[in-house]
Amino acid sequence: METVSENRCFGGTQGVYTHASDATGGDMTFGLFLPDEASDGPVPLLWYLSGLTCTHENAMVKAGAQAWAAEQGIAVVFPDTSPRGEGVANHDDYDLGQGAGFYIDATQPPWSPHFKMQTYILEDLTRLLFNAFPLDEERQSITGHSMGGHGALTLAAKMPDRFRSASAFSPICNPTQSDWGKKQFAAYLGTIDAGKAHDATELAKTGALDTIPLLIDTGTDDQFADLLCTEALAQTLIARRADATIRLQKGYDHSYFFVSTFIEDHIAFHAEALWR
């Protein structure tokens, strides 16, 4: 691991680091905010997964998470959204290829050699974080925005014993029924049907999200509402009587202005679960 930068931030440290990843077969970059309490021992960790076209930097700079994380004494990690670099497959469309890893492990060429974002998040980056930084492995939660909201919900569904809570801003809730999902699953996995294993609504039908506390915010003026399929997930969670709160925020869109408005609520929600 190499340190790119470290800056004092709300009494703690906002760092940016690069490291070699076996999962993606190349170097990856991530941001990590450590609150001041980390100088005295391990602190809880909140994962923040970003959306299409983003890097580690977007939420790190725009979401405003650090102030509230410092107040709650928790760390926040901001991974990248895909592998990058020379030799990594890409596409002219913004929603496929670099910047659009969808937090799954691709099985189809030309994506399969590098696009292993599920393994990267759950294994490679996890090992590095808990080996290199004062973080409490028993206290983890996860959140994300848009494609990252999809990632947060699906990874939590796959590992409910690992994440104490999950939340999402404008998540892609039913990607096998959306152009933000059908296209990527067909390319990365070979079929849309294979994407059901990575679809929050389909996973919720199995009860995978029944017990983990959930908070989901979506704006009523979200310009991508038809692609998010919020209603499908809401209906499924209601039918399952899951421990979920879904809020439609009047007048808000898909932007980081929306995320930064409600990030305090989400960090407080996770802090309650992390410090329990």
Side-chain angles (χ1 to χ4, degrees):
M1 185 181 72
E2 295 184 4
T3 300
V4 176
S5 62
E6 288 183 333
N7 297 95
R8 192 73 170 156
C9 183
F10 293 100
T13 302
Q14 177 61 64
V16 177
Y17 309 92
T18 63
H19 70 108
S21 165
D22 291 336
T24 65
D27 289 344
M28 299 292 291
T29 302
F30 67 93
L32 177 67
F33 171 74
L34 287 173
D36 184 56
E37 288 84 348
S39 61
D40 297 323
V43 295
L45 177 64
L46 176 62
W47 293 79
Y48 186 107
L49 306 184
S50 291
L52 286 166
T53 75
C54 291
T55 69
H56 70 282
E57 188 175 32
N58 297 72
M60 185 182 79
V61 173
K62 297 179 181 180
Q66 293 90 340
W68 308 113
E71 186 174 281
Q72 299 289 353
I74 63 178
V76 186
V77 63
F78 305 92
D80 204 346
T81 55
S82 78
R84 300 180 190 273
E86 187 176 349
V88 176
N90 204 4
H91 198 278
D92 290 339
D93 293 345
Y94 75 96
D95 55 358
L96 191 65
Q98 295 185 33
F102 258 72
Y103 304 101
I104 61 176
D105 286 355
T107 61
Q108 303 299 305
W111 314 105
S112 53
H114 300 285
F115 279 70
K116 305 287 187 183
M117 288 303 295
Q118 177 174 302
T119 297
Y120 171 69
I121 296 293
L122 296 180
E123 297 181 22
D124 278 17
L125 184 54
T126 294
R127 282 194 300 269
L128 184 149
L129 288 171
F130 290 102
N131 284 333
F133 299 98
L135 301 169
D136 185 348
E137 196 166 1
E138 299 301 315
R139 299 177 186 271
Q140 298 181 61
S141 291
I142 192 166
T143 189
H145 175 224
S146 193
M147 178 186 74
H150 142 78
L153 296 174
T154 57
L155 295 185
K158 294 169 188 177
M159 302 196 75
D161 293 335
R162 171 169 167 176
F163 298 109
R164 295 194 175 194
S165 53
S167 74
F169 301 86
S170 307
I172 306 170
C173 296
N174 196 188
T176 55
Q177 300 301 315
S178 167
D179 288 343
W180 275 357
K182 289 181 180 179
K183 176 180 182 178
Q184 292 80 6
F185 292 152
Y188 297 149
L189 302 176
T191 67
I192 296 168
D193 193 59
K196 289 182 178 179
H198 311 282
D199 181 314
T201 299
E202 295 295 329
L203 289 165
K205 290 176 182 177
T206 71
L209 288 171
D210 280 4
T211 58
I212 186 168
L214 301 176
L215 173 61
I216 298 170
D217 277 318
T218 298
T220 61
D221 286 5
D222 194 303
Q223 58 270 47
F224 303 112
D226 291 345
L227 297 167
L228 302 180
C229 304
T230 308
E231 297 83 357
L233 179 59
Q235 290 167 6
T236 300
L237 293 173
I238 290 169
R240 296 288 314 179
R241 289 181 167 81
D243 183 6
T245 299
I246 299 177
R247 309 187 301 189
L248 298 179
Q249 301 292 359
K250 186 173 178 59
Y252 286 89
D253 58 16
H254 200 76
S255 69
Y256 275 100
F257 296 112
F258 160 65
V259 173
S260 62
T261 299
F262 297 102
I263 192 72
E264 178 186 6
D265 290 357
H266 284 244
I267 290 179
F269 167 78
H270 291 299
E272 181 178 355
L274 288 166
W275 287 116
R276 190 162 47 224

